[in-house]
Amino acid sequence: MPKSSSPTPSATSSVDKAAVSQRIPVVQIATPSTKIHVREQKGVFQRLRQHSNTLLIAIFFLIPFINYQGRQAILFDVTEQQFFFFNITLWPQDFTVLAWFFMAAAFALFFVTVYWGRVWCGFLCPQTAWTFIYMWVEAKVEGNHHHRAALDKAPWSLSKVRKRVTKHAVWIVFALLTGCGFIGYFMPARELYVDIFSMSSGFWTGTWVWFFAVCTYLNAGWMREMMCLHCCPYSRFQAVMFDANTKTVSYDATRGESRGPRKRSQTTELGDCVDCNLCVDVCPTGIDIRNGLQYECINCGACVDACNQTMEKFGYAPNLISFTSENALKGQPKTSLLSLKSLGYASALLIMIVLIISDLSHLSHIQLNVIRDRQTLYRQVGIDQVENSYQLKIRNKTQQMAFYQISISNDDPQKQTLQIVTDSLIAIKPAEQLDYPLTLSGRLSDRTSDSTQQTVQFKVTQIQSLDNPTPTEPANEISQTSRFFWP
């Protein structure tokens, strides 16, 4: 499909009527310095977008305030290198689960794109949500799009200064809240908000909060559509996932052309498009959807609501601009619902889900590392006794106090010649790593071979309590092999 540069919202005054009547597209160039004053629009899709954006923002801010068993339910603790997700604790070695999760989310997005195009960008993307929030504040303070455009051209006055200061003050406060909301996923959120707004936070905490606040302020307040047009990688490759049945915001040129203005009661041979230019005025990226599919379109549906509003006023059928597919516009029947692309993305998504479930089901709640005493291979005690020393690093990866029993074994339990000299029952606090010294002892008279080395397996098993060494259900244990040296 043809693509063109993004037109400016002032396209009505610059459209060549002769070119329109001849169905010649008028290409209009929007420079980066052009500010788009988006016209406010109401309608079905805008209500859906507002509700989805509100839900997204509410979830973003509220999740860090959810507690679970006395702890923030979802927390990336960078200092302790832990990720808490309700009753699951992930450590750096478990982060493959997060990798599978993000890959699954990507394939889920690709799968939806095959059927509904860039609908993510219009209804769920954080960039869209925050941009529309900032645009809503701007409209409440400075007025509608006509008033905002006039205010830009007006000379500086007390009224203009007041409006601009008010707008940017609200923007900065919301940006600061956003910075707190984001950092609240990496440190306790309740203390964070108090520290930031009471100006008692530490240097690095305040630095990171203000860094993300400044990014939000510049991104949603100033860059806006430039992020979608020039920075977002998804906008560049999303069209590769489209096929003839993908539903995108499209203009029915067969029905709409030749376009042109007319009175409501006037009989005309023109198409249904009355050339009101509302579809351009309400577009947050400033494009004219009548020029065909363009990568700048974020599928927010604002032009659909605007066009349907005009069609209703003129007594025409709705959906001159609508969410539809290329085949539907051509009047061709829909092909198979499952294409090779959708099957491929669905298969990849299923594989990622299986990997996530598999990793979570095999997630160990104990971490064990056995380190031998490297300075002394063995100690001979008396005539018949030999001892080896070890350092066991045992980590309790759960969020509760846990009790463990340490045991040893070799390939033939009937010929077990080694014994643990130190205490084998231990308690470890939540998320704590215990460095536990342990000594093994063996009798030379019980030695089963002439080899100077013997393989020994250390096993750590979670038990009910120190007074009740019964293994927990389901069993939770881990083991690691090492060597015992004889003279």
Side-chain angles (χ1 to χ4, degrees):
M1 292 186 180
K3 297 183 181 181
S4 64
S5 299
S6 303
T8 62
S10 59
T12 303
S13 61
S14 60
V15 173
D16 186 335
K17 301 301 181 182
V20 171
S21 64
Q22 297 174 21
R23 303 188 186 184
I24 300 175
V26 178
V27 179
Q28 304 176 39
I29 306 298
T31 64
S33 60
T34 302
K35 183 175 181 179
I36 299 176
H37 292 286
V38 181
R39 181 185 182 123
E40 297 73 30
Q41 180 60 46
K42 296 181 180 180
V44 174
F45 291 108
Q46 294 319 289
R47 286 195 296 272
L48 178 60
R49 179 193 56 75
Q50 290 168 4
H51 293 331
S52 61
N53 287 174
T54 301
L55 180 62
L56 173 70
I57 293 173
I59 291 175
F60 170 79
F61 281 110
L62 293 178
I63 280 181
F65 289 94
I66 300 175
N67 272 13
Y68 180 80
Q69 294 183 350
R71 180 193 293 273
Q72 189 168 315
I74 300 177
L75 177 66
F76 290 87
D77 194 332
V78 180
T79 304
E80 299 296 332
Q81 297 183 344
Q82 302 172 57
F83 170 42
F84 299 102
F85 185 82
F86 290 90
N87 65 330
I88 299 175
T89 303
L90 298 181
W91 297 79
Q93 61 269 29
D94 304 321
F95 275 12
T96 52
V97 177
L98 293 181
W100 302 139
F101 173 79
F102 287 121
M103 292 174 68
F107 283 114
L109 175 61
F110 300 160
F111 181 77
V112 171
T113 302
V114 173
Y115 293 99
W116 287 97
R118 205 175 167 184
V119 70
W120 157 266
C121 297
F123 294 90
L124 288 173
C125 177
Q127 164 68 23
T128 302
W130 262 256
T131 296
F132 273 102
I133 282 288
Y134 273 56
M135 290 166 53
W136 177 82
V137 171
E138 188 174 52
K140 291 298 181 183
V141 175
E142 297 183 352
N144 61 31
H145 64 296
H146 291 305
H147 294 155
R148 297 197 299 273
L151 187 65
D152 282 349
K153 298 176 183 178
W156 284 98
S157 63
L158 184 61
S159 175
K160 183 173 181 177
V161 171
R162 177 180 56 81
K163 290 181 179 180
R164 288 294 163 88
V165 169
T166 302
K167 178 183 74 173
H168 287 283
V170 176
W171 280 4
I172 291 172
V173 169
F174 193 76
L176 185 57
L177 288 172
T178 302
C180 291
F182 185 79
I183 299 301
Y185 286 87
F186 298 90
M187 61 182 300
R190 286 175 169 81
E191 293 84 352
L192 173 66
Y193 280 88
V194 174
D195 291 344
I196 291 296
F197 286 95
S198 64
M199 293 182 289
S200 59
S201 64
F203 173 78
W204 286 111
T205 299
T207 298
W208 281 112
V209 168
W210 276 105
F211 171 78
F212 285 104
V214 170
C215 289
T216 302
Y217 172 76
L218 296 176
N219 184 8
W222 293 90
M223 296 187 67
R224 295 187 181 176
E225 74 281 352
M226 294 301 169
M227 292 295 296
C228 302
L229 302 183
H230 306 295
C231 301
C232 177
Y234 181 55
S235 66
R236 301 293 177 171
F237 65 77
Q238 44 92 22
V240 178
M241 307 168 204
F242 293 178
D243 58 30
N245 291 317
T246 301
K247 290 188 175 182
T248 61
V249 173
S250 304
Y251 167 67
D252 189 348
T254 303
R255 175 186 156 192
E257 300 294 337
S258 293
R259 70 185 80 154
R262 80 290 305 265
K263 295 180 179 179
R264 295 188 187 183
S265 58
Q266 179 183 354
T267 302
T268 177
E269 294 182 358
L270 296 173
D272 285 357
C273 179
V274 301
D275 206 17
C276 62
N277 219 53
L278 284 177
C279 56
V280 179
D281 292 342
V282 301
C283 179
T285 58
I287 66 170
D288 190 340
I289 196 62
R290 296 171 295 180
N291 290 335
L293 178 63
Q294 299 153 75
Y295 77 88
E296 298 95 337
C297 177
I298 63 172
N299 273 21
C300 65
C303 56
V304 179
D305 288 330
C307 188
N308 282 341
Q309 176 182 298
T310 301
M311 292 298 101
E312 182 180 1
K313 290 180 179 179
F314 279 82
Y316 297 157
N319 295 330
L320 176 61
I321 300 176
S322 63
F323 280 90
T324 189
S325 66
E326 182 181 350
N327 278 342
L329 285 176
K330 294 179 179 179
Q332 297 178 359
K334 182 183 295 185
T335 57
S336 175
L337 188 63
L338 293 176
S339 63
L340 288 177
K341 287 182 181 179
S342 61
L343 286 174
Y345 294 139
S347 300
L349 175 60
L350 182 61
I351 291 172
M352 294 300 108
I353 293 175
V354 170
L355 287 173
I356 292 173
I357 296 174
S358 175
D359 271 11
L360 288 177
S361 62
H362 292 88
L363 197 64
S364 174
H365 298 298
I366 316 171
Q367 182 180 346
L368 172 64
N369 189 20
V370 180
I371 302 174
R372 276 193 46 84
D373 185 350
R374 300 185 183 278
Q375 295 182 351
T376 305
L377 290 180
Y378 63 88
R379 294 189 305 273
Q380 191 163 353
V381 182
I383 300 176
D384 197 37
Q385 205 77 20
V386 176
E387 293 182 351
N388 281 203
S389 296
Y390 304 84
Q391 186 82 1
L392 271 61
K393 294 182 178 293
I394 308 171
R395 186 185 295 276
N396 173 14
K397 297 170 64 177
T398 68
Q399 301 175 25
Q400 298 83 31
M401 172 75 78
F403 307 96
Y404 302 99
Q405 182 175 44
I406 304 172
S407 59
I408 58 171
S409 64
N410 57 21
D411 297 335
D412 188 356
Q414 300 298 326
K415 298 180 180 180
Q416 180 66 268
T417 61
L418 305 178
Q419 294 181 344
I420 298 176
V421 176
T422 49
D423 193 359
S424 62
L425 298 179
I426 56 175
I428 305 180
K429 297 178 180 178
E432 181 184 60
Q433 176 175 289
L434 178 65
D435 292 340
Y436 190 71
L438 184 139
T439 300
L440 292 185
S441 177
R443 297 167 60 91
L444 283 171
S445 57
D446 295 334
R447 187 173 174 181
T448 57
S449 69
D450 294 333
S451 174
T452 59
Q453 298 182 30
Q454 178 179 340
T455 301
V456 58
Q457 185 179 58
F458 291 84
K459 182 183 294 184
V460 177
T461 305
Q462 187 173 356
I463 58 177
Q464 302 290 344
S465 66
L466 296 180
D467 298 327
N468 180 16
T470 304
T472 57
E473 292 292 340
N476 188 16
E477 63 181 25
I478 191 172
S479 60
Q480 184 177 334
T481 58
S482 186
R483 296 281 183 178
F484 186 91
F485 286 86
W486 296 95

